[in-house]
Amino acid sequence: MDKEVDPKVLAVIDEMRLSGPRLTPVEIVAKMGVFDAREKPFDHAWLATGDNVIATIWAEFVNIGDGGRWFCLESLDTQHRVGGGVRSPQQIQRAKDRRALLKRTVDAGQGFRAVLQTNRVAIAELESNKSAKVSTRVRDDAEWHVASWDSDQQLAILVRGARGWVPGEADIQAAKARGSVPVAAAGDPAAAAAERSASREEVQAAAMDYVMRHFKGYGYNAEDVSSQKLGYDLEVSNAKGAKLLRVVVKGTSTGVPSFRLTSEERASSAREPLWRLLVVADAIGTAAQHKIYKPSEMEQAPGFEPLD
């Protein structure tokens, strides 16, 4: 949130926002050379044309060190959320993708381009609150680079501007206090334990409940036909009764990070034009989210396990 951002950083962001064209967050990334930006709206780093890496920098985590230099701490822990707790499979994949792209710049001795952004809710809730969305995003014309990469400590330091400067220990400790580096044991122990102990059946039931509520919330009819073994779980239709989708629902969670399609579901995906795979990540947790895949895309779904 804006009130969590250093006033000097916020002033620069406001100036960029007011002086540039009015673009959506996705359009900003697309104009920086990411052709598939619309397909990856929730990613935190992208590979653009010319092998340029673009990464989000959350302004709430930007610190100002000696000489007015901007820097932020980057957790290399892909398993835990910034605000504490275990990430969902989709969140883990996004974190791994971001880490890989930043490491690519380190190995190549190159910098990366950044988009500065603020969050609509408290930054500690970035990955746990369903209302967490980009409030403001602007392109930063100054180059950023990875000034330090410590795999043992699971910590990198990202610096804006010319190389040759790193923050001192006091600045680093102050930056850690802002919460950009998660504590692995943080979060709600009871909730984390529940996620780990949930059975596959419980995760699937939670996913089905989530999807039924989702479609009905948009005014569609969703009929559970899973007991009929048709190769899909739900038939989704509009108010006039026209069939729109035939959906296979799969849920994942910390304790159930993967799923497989049955032979019936695979066969249906090949013959049924309306067939779709809908994966609900963090189905048991408080930040459930979903994505729909066409048959040609289903193997790209986080947690997908091919048949032996």
Side-chain angles (χ1 to χ4, degrees):
M1 299 177 72
D2 287 0
K3 65 182 181 181
E4 298 176 284
V5 182
D6 186 293
K8 294 180 181 178
V9 174
L10 188 60
V12 172
I13 291 176
D14 284 341
E15 182 179 353
M16 293 177 181
R17 177 176 57 83
L18 294 173
S19 62
R22 295 179 63 86
L23 300 173
T24 67
V26 170
E27 288 172 340
I28 289 172
V29 175
K31 283 187 173 294
M32 294 174 73
V34 180
F35 294 133
D36 57 351
R38 297 186 186 281
E39 299 172 15
K40 301 177 179 180
F42 303 112
D43 282 15
H44 300 152
W46 305 264
L47 186 63
T49 54
D51 281 344
N52 291 311
V53 172
I54 299 172
T56 54
I57 298 291
W58 286 272
E60 291 89 340
F61 292 145
V62 173
N63 302 269
I64 300 180
D66 294 340
R69 295 297 300 270
W70 291 17
F71 75 96
C72 63
L73 303 184
E74 175 81 13
S75 171
L76 302 180
D77 177 359
T78 60
Q79 302 298 310
H80 297 93
R81 296 170 178 160
V82 167
V86 180
R87 282 178 167 140
S88 69
Q90 284 184 321
Q91 291 171 337
I92 290 173
Q93 188 59 55
R94 283 197 290 267
K96 287 181 176 179
D97 291 344
R98 176 181 171 92
R99 174 174 169 153
L101 287 173
L102 289 175
K103 186 61 164 61
R104 179 177 180 148
T105 70
V106 174
D107 295 340
Q110 298 175 341
F112 64 90
R113 302 169 69 189
V115 286
L116 299 170
Q117 62 187 49
T118 58
N119 198 24
R120 288 188 181 179
V121 300
I123 194 64
E125 301 175 20
L126 177 67
E127 295 180 288
S128 60
N129 189 328
K130 295 179 182 179
S131 298
K133 296 180 181 179
V134 176
S135 176
T136 299
R137 174 181 285 174
V138 296
R139 185 184 73 183
D140 190 355
D141 290 329
E143 186 176 74
W144 287 69
H145 64 276
V146 181
S148 172
W149 186 282
D150 190 332
S151 297
D152 292 334
Q153 296 295 320
Q154 293 286 280
L155 184 68
I157 300 175
L158 313 183
V159 172
R160 184 179 191 248
R163 295 175 181 270
W165 178 88
V166 291
E169 185 61 28
D171 284 336
I172 291 175
Q173 293 304 318
K176 286 183 177 180
R178 300 188 72 169
S180 60
V181 180
V183 178
D188 183 345
E195 286 192 50
R196 288 192 295 270
S197 63
S199 67
R200 186 173 297 277
E201 290 74 20
E202 290 171 326
V203 172
Q204 183 65 15
M208 285 287 288
D209 178 68
Y210 168 93
V211 175
M212 293 284 283
R213 287 187 288 107
H214 168 75
F215 282 119
K216 290 180 179 179
Y218 280 91
Y220 297 110
N221 297 315
E223 181 183 358
D224 184 350
V225 296
S226 56
S227 62
Q228 299 179 37
K229 306 298 182 183
L230 300 172
Y232 48 88
D233 299 307
L234 298 178
E235 284 191 339
V236 181
S237 57
N238 61 20
K240 295 182 179 180
K243 295 292 188 292
L244 303 177
L245 294 173
R246 292 188 165 98
V247 180
V248 168
V249 177
K250 298 295 180 182
T252 61
S253 71
T254 302
V256 185
S258 61
F259 64 89
R260 287 186 177 182
L261 296 181
T262 67
S263 57
E264 291 172 338
E265 290 166 345
R266 284 181 172 274
S268 182
S269 73
R271 68 172 182 267
E272 174 52 64
L274 298 179
W275 189 97
R276 296 292 187 272
L277 168 65
L278 191 154
V279 179
V280 182
D282 198 17
I284 294 290
T286 59
Q289 54 185 315
H290 73 279
K291 186 172 181 179
I292 298 178
Y293 299 87
K294 298 177 182 178
S296 60
E297 302 168 334
M298 62 186 182
E299 294 188 7
Q300 302 171 17
F304 178 90
E305 280 193 0
L307 294 175
D308 294 333

PDB file of all heavy atoms in Angstrom, residues 223-251:
ATOM      1  N   GLU A 223     -23.478 -27.979 -12.893  1.00  0.00           N
ATOM      2  CA  GLU A 223     -24.045 -29.253 -12.442  1.00  0.00           C
ATOM      3  C   GLU A 223     -22.929 -30.266 -12.210  1.00  0.00           C
ATOM      4  O   GLU A 223     -22.092 -30.498 -13.087  1.00  0.00           O
ATOM      5  CB  GLU A 223     -25.019 -29.802 -13.481  1.00  0.00           C
ATOM      6  CG  GLU A 223     -25.664 -31.113 -13.064  1.00  0.00           C
ATOM      7  CD  GLU A 223     -26.575 -31.684 -14.142  1.00  0.00           C
ATOM      8  OE1 GLU A 223     -26.726 -31.036 -15.198  1.00  0.00           O
ATOM      9  OE2 GLU A 223     -27.118 -32.789 -13.920  1.00  0.00           O
ATOM     10  N   ASP A 224     -22.927 -30.854 -11.032  1.00  0.00           N
ATOM     11  CA  ASP A 224     -21.936 -31.868 -10.682  1.00  0.00           C
ATOM     12  C   ASP A 224     -22.337 -33.203 -11.315  1.00  0.00           C
ATOM     13  O   ASP A 224     -23.346 -33.801 -10.945  1.00  0.00           O
ATOM     14  CB  ASP A 224     -21.854 -32.000  -9.161  1.00  0.00           C
ATOM     15  CG  ASP A 224     -20.772 -32.982  -8.712  1.00  0.00           C
ATOM     16  OD1 ASP A 224     -20.215 -33.703  -9.561  1.00  0.00           O
ATOM     17  OD2 ASP A 224     -20.494 -33.027  -7.501  1.00  0.00           O
ATOM     18  N   VAL A 225     -21.541 -33.665 -12.282  1.00  0.00           N
ATOM     19  CA  VAL A 225     -21.826 -34.938 -12.958  1.00  0.00           C
ATOM     20  C   VAL A 225     -20.687 -35.932 -12.734  1.00  0.00           C
ATOM     21  O   VAL A 225     -20.547 -36.903 -13.475  1.00  0.00           O
ATOM     22  CB  VAL A 225     -22.043 -34.720 -14.474  1.00  0.00           C
ATOM     23  CG1 VAL A 225     -23.276 -33.868 -14.728  1.00  0.00           C
ATOM     24  CG2 VAL A 225     -20.814 -34.075 -15.115  1.00  0.00           C
ATOM     25  N   SER A 226     -19.873 -35.676 -11.710  1.00  0.00           N
ATOM     26  CA  SER A 226     -18.684 -36.501 -11.488  1.00  0.00           C
ATOM     27  C   SER A 226     -19.023 -37.968 -11.248  1.00  0.00           C
ATOM     28  O   SER A 226     -18.247 -38.859 -11.610  1.00  0.00           O
ATOM     29  CB  SER A 226     -17.874 -35.952 -10.314  1.00  0.00           C
ATOM     30  OG  SER A 226     -18.674 -35.861  -9.145  1.00  0.00           O
ATOM     31  N   SER A 227     -20.184 -38.233 -10.652  1.00  0.00           N
ATOM     32  CA  SER A 227     -20.555 -39.618 -10.352  1.00  0.00           C
ATOM     33  C   SER A 227     -20.884 -40.418 -11.605  1.00  0.00           C
ATOM     34  O   SER A 227     -20.928 -41.652 -11.571  1.00  0.00           O
ATOM     35  CB  SER A 227     -21.755 -39.647  -9.402  1.00  0.00           C
ATOM     36  OG  SER A 227     -22.892 -39.043 -10.003  1.00  0.00           O
ATOM     37  N   GLN A 228     -21.095 -39.729 -12.740  1.00  0.00           N
ATOM     38  CA  GLN A 228     -21.474 -40.417 -13.973  1.00  0.00           C
ATOM     39  C   GLN A 228     -20.272 -40.918 -14.777  1.00  0.00           C
ATOM     40  O   GLN A 228     -20.443 -41.572 -15.810  1.00  0.00           O
ATOM     41  CB  GLN A 228     -22.321 -39.485 -14.842  1.00  0.00           C
ATOM     42  CG  GLN A 228     -23.613 -39.041 -14.176  1.00  0.00           C
ATOM     43  CD  GLN A 228     -24.419 -38.100 -15.054  1.00  0.00           C
ATOM     44  OE1 GLN A 228     -24.461 -38.262 -16.281  1.00  0.00           O
ATOM     45  NE2 GLN A 228     -25.073 -37.115 -14.440  1.00  0.00           N
ATOM     46  N   LYS A 229     -19.060 -40.585 -14.329  1.00  0.00           N
ATOM     47  CA  LYS A 229     -17.829 -41.061 -14.982  1.00  0.00           C
ATOM     48  C   LYS A 229     -17.805 -40.718 -16.475  1.00  0.00           C
ATOM     49  O   LYS A 229     -17.547 -41.566 -17.337  1.00  0.00           O
ATOM     50  CB  LYS A 229     -17.670 -42.577 -14.804  1.00  0.00           C
ATOM     51  CG  LYS A 229     -17.734 -43.055 -13.367  1.00  0.00           C
ATOM     52  CD  LYS A 229     -16.607 -42.475 -12.530  1.00  0.00           C
ATOM     53  CE  LYS A 229     -16.646 -43.012 -11.099  1.00  0.00           C
ATOM     54  NZ  LYS A 229     -15.602 -42.396 -10.243  1.00  0.00           N
ATOM     55  N   LEU A 230     -18.068 -39.458 -16.775  1.00  0.00           N
ATOM     56  CA  LEU A 230     -18.106 -39.003 -18.161  1.00  0.00           C
ATOM     57  C   LEU A 230     -16.748 -38.497 -18.659  1.00  0.00           C
ATOM     58  O   LEU A 230     -16.601 -38.176 -19.833  1.00  0.00           O
ATOM     59  CB  LEU A 230     -19.139 -37.878 -18.304  1.00  0.00           C
ATOM     60  CG  LEU A 230     -20.585 -38.238 -17.945  1.00  0.00           C
ATOM     61  CD1 LEU A 230     -21.455 -36.982 -17.946  1.00  0.00           C
ATOM     62  CD2 LEU A 230     -21.124 -39.265 -18.929  1.00  0.00           C
ATOM     63  N   GLY A 231     -15.801 -38.398 -17.750  1.00  0.00           N
ATOM     64  CA  GLY A 231     -14.511 -37.840 -18.124  1.00  0.00           C
ATOM     65  C   GLY A 231     -14.404 -36.369 -17.787  1.00  0.00           C
ATOM     66  O   GLY A 231     -13.439 -35.701 -18.178  1.00  0.00           O
ATOM     67  N   TYR A 232     -15.382 -35.856 -17.057  1.00  0.00           N
ATOM     68  CA  TYR A 232     -15.348 -34.487 -16.548  1.00  0.00           C
ATOM     69  C   TYR A 232     -16.271 -34.423 -15.334  1.00  0.00           C
ATOM     70  O   TYR A 232     -17.104 -35.317 -15.119  1.00  0.00           O
ATOM     71  CB  TYR A 232     -15.750 -33.462 -17.610  1.00  0.00           C
ATOM     72  CG  TYR A 232     -17.013 -33.783 -18.372  1.00  0.00           C
ATOM     73  CD1 TYR A 232     -18.264 -33.384 -17.905  1.00  0.00           C
ATOM     74  CD2 TYR A 232     -16.957 -34.484 -19.573  1.00  0.00           C
ATOM     75  CE1 TYR A 232     -19.416 -33.678 -18.604  1.00  0.00           C
ATOM     76  CE2 TYR A 232     -18.111 -34.789 -20.283  1.00  0.00           C
ATOM     77  CZ  TYR A 232     -19.340 -34.383 -19.801  1.00  0.00           C
ATOM     78  OH  TYR A 232     -20.488 -34.676 -20.492  1.00  0.00           O
ATOM     79  N   ASP A 233     -16.110 -33.370 -14.530  1.00  0.00           N
ATOM     80  CA  ASP A 233     -16.824 -33.277 -13.254  1.00  0.00           C
ATOM     81  C   ASP A 233     -18.040 -32.363 -13.288  1.00  0.00           C
ATOM     82  O   ASP A 233     -19.014 -32.597 -12.581  1.00  0.00           O
ATOM     83  CB  ASP A 233     -15.869 -32.766 -12.161  1.00  0.00           C
ATOM     84  CG  ASP A 233     -14.688 -33.690 -11.955  1.00  0.00           C
ATOM     85  OD1 ASP A 233     -14.914 -34.888 -11.739  1.00  0.00           O
ATOM     86  OD2 ASP A 233     -13.539 -33.208 -12.020  1.00  0.00           O
ATOM     87  N   LEU A 234     -17.956 -31.300 -14.078  1.00  0.00           N
ATOM     88  CA  LEU A 234     -19.023 -30.299 -14.088  1.00  0.00           C
ATOM     89  C   LEU A 234     -19.460 -29.982 -15.510  1.00  0.00           C
ATOM     90  O   LEU A 234     -18.634 -29.952 -16.429  1.00  0.00           O
ATOM     91  CB  LEU A 234     -18.549 -28.990 -13.439  1.00  0.00           C
ATOM     92  CG  LEU A 234     -18.131 -28.993 -11.973  1.00  0.00           C
ATOM     93  CD1 LEU A 234     -17.647 -27.606 -11.578  1.00  0.00           C
ATOM     94  CD2 LEU A 234     -19.286 -29.428 -11.086  1.00  0.00           C
ATOM     95  N   GLU A 235     -20.754 -29.731 -15.653  1.00  0.00           N
ATOM     96  CA  GLU A 235     -21.277 -29.158 -16.886  1.00  0.00           C
ATOM     97  C   GLU A 235     -21.721 -27.739 -16.564  1.00  0.00           C
ATOM     98  O   GLU A 235     -22.540 -27.525 -15.663  1.00  0.00           O
ATOM     99  CB  GLU A 235     -22.456 -29.972 -17.422  1.00  0.00           C
ATOM    100  CG  GLU A 235     -22.035 -31.271 -18.083  1.00  0.00           C
ATOM    101  CD  GLU A 235     -23.179 -31.937 -18.841  1.00  0.00           C
ATOM    102  OE1 GLU A 235     -24.348 -31.622 -18.532  1.00  0.00           O
ATOM    103  OE2 GLU A 235     -22.902 -32.754 -19.731  1.00  0.00           O
ATOM    104  N   VAL A 236     -21.165 -26.785 -17.273  1.00  0.00           N
ATOM    105  CA  VAL A 236     -21.463 -25.380 -17.032  1.00  0.00           C
ATOM    106  C   VAL A 236     -22.322 -24.859 -18.178  1.00  0.00           C
ATOM    107  O   VAL A 236     -21.973 -25.023 -19.352  1.00  0.00           O
ATOM    108  CB  VAL A 236     -20.170 -24.547 -16.924  1.00  0.00           C
ATOM    109  CG1 VAL A 236     -20.497 -23.082 -16.646  1.00  0.00           C
ATOM    110  CG2 VAL A 236     -19.269 -25.107 -15.828  1.00  0.00           C
ATOM    111  N   SER A 237     -23.439 -24.247 -17.839  1.00  0.00           N
ATOM    112  CA  SER A 237     -24.348 -23.731 -18.861  1.00  0.00           C
ATOM    113  C   SER A 237     -24.817 -22.335 -18.486  1.00  0.00           C
ATOM    114  O   SER A 237     -24.715 -21.909 -17.329  1.00  0.00           O
ATOM    115  CB  SER A 237     -25.550 -24.664 -19.025  1.00  0.00           C
ATOM    116  OG  SER A 237     -26.223 -24.835 -17.785  1.00  0.00           O
ATOM    117  N   ASN A 238     -25.342 -21.628 -19.484  1.00  0.00           N
ATOM    118  CA  ASN A 238     -25.848 -20.283 -19.209  1.00  0.00           C
ATOM    119  C   ASN A 238     -27.311 -20.347 -18.784  1.00  0.00           C
ATOM    120  O   ASN A 238     -27.891 -21.435 -18.651  1.00  0.00           O
ATOM    121  CB  ASN A 238     -25.653 -19.370 -20.419  1.00  0.00           C
ATOM    122  CG  ASN A 238     -26.405 -19.858 -21.656  1.00  0.00           C
ATOM    123  OD1 ASN A 238     -27.351 -20.646 -21.558  1.00  0.00           O
ATOM    124  ND2 ASN A 238     -25.985 -19.390 -22.822  1.00  0.00           N
ATOM    125  N   ALA A 239     -27.916 -19.186 -18.584  1.00  0.00           N
ATOM    126  CA  ALA A 239     -29.293 -19.132 -18.076  1.00  0.00           C
ATOM    127  C   ALA A 239     -30.292 -19.766 -19.031  1.00  0.00           C
ATOM    128  O   ALA A 239     -31.372 -20.208 -18.617  1.00  0.00           O
ATOM    129  CB  ALA A 239     -29.675 -17.680 -17.796  1.00  0.00           C
ATOM    130  N   LYS A 240     -29.937 -19.835 -20.327  1.00  0.00           N
ATOM    131  CA  LYS A 240     -30.837 -20.429 -21.316  1.00  0.00           C
ATOM    132  C   LYS A 240     -30.627 -21.932 -21.465  1.00  0.00           C
ATOM    133  O   LYS A 240     -31.304 -22.575 -22.264  1.00  0.00           O
ATOM    134  CB  LYS A 240     -30.643 -19.739 -22.663  1.00  0.00           C
ATOM    135  CG  LYS A 240     -31.047 -18.265 -22.661  1.00  0.00           C
ATOM    136  CD  LYS A 240     -30.878 -17.646 -24.034  1.00  0.00           C
ATOM    137  CE  LYS A 240     -31.315 -16.180 -24.042  1.00  0.00           C
ATOM    138  NZ  LYS A 240     -31.157 -15.561 -25.382  1.00  0.00           N
ATOM    139  N   GLY A 241     -29.659 -22.461 -20.721  1.00  0.00           N
ATOM    140  CA  GLY A 241     -29.423 -23.897 -20.762  1.00  0.00           C
ATOM    141  C   GLY A 241     -28.379 -24.342 -21.761  1.00  0.00           C
ATOM    142  O   GLY A 241     -28.110 -25.544 -21.883  1.00  0.00           O
ATOM    143  N   ALA A 242     -27.782 -23.414 -22.483  1.00  0.00           N
ATOM    144  CA  ALA A 242     -26.760 -23.776 -23.470  1.00  0.00           C
ATOM    145  C   ALA A 242     -25.486 -24.208 -22.759  1.00  0.00           C
ATOM    146  O   ALA A 242     -24.986 -23.504 -21.872  1.00  0.00           O
ATOM    147  CB  ALA A 242     -26.476 -22.593 -24.386  1.00  0.00           C
ATOM    148  N   LYS A 243     -24.959 -25.373 -23.131  1.00  0.00           N
ATOM    149  CA  LYS A 243     -23.735 -25.882 -22.523  1.00  0.00           C
ATOM    150  C   LYS A 243     -22.541 -25.038 -22.980  1.00  0.00           C
ATOM    151  O   LYS A 243     -22.334 -24.817 -24.175  1.00  0.00           O
ATOM    152  CB  LYS A 243     -23.509 -27.341 -22.913  1.00  0.00           C
ATOM    153  CG  LYS A 243     -24.573 -28.295 -22.368  1.00  0.00           C
ATOM    154  CD  LYS A 243     -24.485 -28.408 -20.851  1.00  0.00           C
ATOM    155  CE  LYS A 243     -25.417 -29.497 -20.318  1.00  0.00           C
ATOM    156  NZ  LYS A 243     -26.853 -29.159 -20.486  1.00  0.00           N
ATOM    157  N   LEU A 244     -21.757 -24.575 -22.014  1.00  0.00           N
ATOM    158  CA  LEU A 244     -20.599 -23.734 -22.296  1.00  0.00           C
ATOM    159  C   LEU A 244     -19.280 -24.470 -22.088  1.00  0.00           C
ATOM    160  O   LEU A 244     -18.355 -24.337 -22.888  1.00  0.00           O
ATOM    161  CB  LEU A 244     -20.627 -22.490 -21.403  1.00  0.00           C
ATOM    162  CG  LEU A 244     -21.875 -21.616 -21.492  1.00  0.00           C
ATOM    163  CD1 LEU A 244     -21.778 -20.474 -20.488  1.00  0.00           C
ATOM    164  CD2 LEU A 244     -22.061 -21.088 -22.898  1.00  0.00           C
ATOM    165  N   LEU A 245     -19.199 -25.224 -21.002  1.00  0.00           N
ATOM    166  CA  LEU A 245     -17.962 -25.928 -20.662  1.00  0.00           C
ATOM    167  C   LEU A 245     -18.286 -27.272 -20.027  1.00  0.00           C
ATOM    168  O   LEU A 245     -19.313 -27.427 -19.352  1.00  0.00           O
ATOM    169  CB  LEU A 245     -17.118 -25.115 -19.670  1.00  0.00           C
ATOM    170  CG  LEU A 245     -16.531 -23.781 -20.120  1.00  0.00           C
ATOM    171  CD1 LEU A 245     -15.886 -23.079 -18.930  1.00  0.00           C
ATOM    172  CD2 LEU A 245     -15.520 -23.981 -21.234  1.00  0.00           C
ATOM    173  N   ARG A 246     -17.397 -28.219 -20.236  1.00  0.00           N
ATOM    174  CA  ARG A 246     -17.406 -29.474 -19.495  1.00  0.00           C
ATOM    175  C   ARG A 246     -16.045 -29.549 -18.802  1.00  0.00           C
ATOM    176  O   ARG A 246     -15.016 -29.671 -19.466  1.00  0.00           O
ATOM    177  CB  ARG A 246     -17.660 -30.656 -20.433  1.00  0.00           C
ATOM    178  CG  ARG A 246     -19.085 -30.637 -20.997  1.00  0.00           C
ATOM    179  CD  ARG A 246     -19.425 -31.890 -21.776  1.00  0.00           C
ATOM    180  NE  ARG A 246     -20.865 -31.978 -21.984  1.00  0.00           N
ATOM    181  CZ  ARG A 246     -21.488 -31.596 -23.100  1.00  0.00           C
ATOM    182  NH1 ARG A 246     -20.792 -31.091 -24.105  1.00  0.00           N
ATOM    183  NH2 ARG A 246     -22.800 -31.709 -23.203  1.00  0.00           N
ATOM    184  N   VAL A 247     -16.072 -29.453 -17.486  1.00  0.00           N
ATOM    185  CA  VAL A 247     -14.866 -29.133 -16.724  1.00  0.00           C
ATOM    186  C   VAL A 247     -14.418 -30.284 -15.827  1.00  0.00           C
ATOM    187  O   VAL A 247     -15.217 -30.845 -15.069  1.00  0.00           O
ATOM    188  CB  VAL A 247     -15.111 -27.885 -15.842  1.00  0.00           C
ATOM    189  CG1 VAL A 247     -13.859 -27.536 -15.044  1.00  0.00           C
ATOM    190  CG2 VAL A 247     -15.541 -26.707 -16.700  1.00  0.00           C
ATOM    191  N   VAL A 248     -13.140 -30.608 -15.926  1.00  0.00           N
ATOM    192  CA  VAL A 248     -12.497 -31.493 -14.960  1.00  0.00           C
ATOM    193  C   VAL A 248     -11.876 -30.607 -13.887  1.00  0.00           C
ATOM    194  O   VAL A 248     -11.132 -29.673 -14.200  1.00  0.00           O
ATOM    195  CB  VAL A 248     -11.400 -32.348 -15.623  1.00  0.00           C
ATOM    196  CG1 VAL A 248     -10.551 -33.046 -14.560  1.00  0.00           C
ATOM    197  CG2 VAL A 248     -12.021 -33.386 -16.527  1.00  0.00           C
ATOM    198  N   VAL A 249     -12.187 -30.872 -12.638  1.00  0.00           N
ATOM    199  CA  VAL A 249     -11.682 -30.065 -11.527  1.00  0.00           C
ATOM    200  C   VAL A 249     -10.593 -30.844 -10.792  1.00  0.00           C
ATOM    201  O   VAL A 249     -10.783 -32.010 -10.438  1.00  0.00           O
ATOM    202  CB  VAL A 249     -12.818 -29.707 -10.542  1.00  0.00           C
ATOM    203  CG1 VAL A 249     -12.258 -28.930  -9.346  1.00  0.00           C
ATOM    204  CG2 VAL A 249     -13.901 -28.913 -11.250  1.00  0.00           C
ATOM    205  N   LYS A 250      -9.469 -30.186 -10.561  1.00  0.00           N
ATOM    206  CA  LYS A 250      -8.391 -30.768  -9.769  1.00  0.00           C
ATOM    207  C   LYS A 250      -7.936 -29.741  -8.732  1.00  0.00           C
ATOM    208  O   LYS A 250      -7.759 -28.564  -9.058  1.00  0.00           O
ATOM    209  CB  LYS A 250      -7.200 -31.163 -10.651  1.00  0.00           C
ATOM    210  CG  LYS A 250      -7.522 -32.217 -11.702  1.00  0.00           C
ATOM    211  CD  LYS A 250      -7.891 -33.559 -11.080  1.00  0.00           C
ATOM    212  CE  LYS A 250      -8.216 -34.594 -12.152  1.00  0.00           C
ATOM    213  NZ  LYS A 250      -8.625 -35.895 -11.564  1.00  0.00           N
ATOM    214  N   GLY A 251      -7.774 -30.193  -7.509  1.00  0.00           N
ATOM    215  CA  GLY A 251      -7.311 -29.309  -6.448  1.00  0.00           C
ATOM    216  C   GLY A 251      -5.908 -29.677  -6.004  1.00  0.00           C
ATOM    217  O   GLY A 251      -5.514 -30.848  -6.036  1.00  0.00           O
TER     218      GLY A 251
END
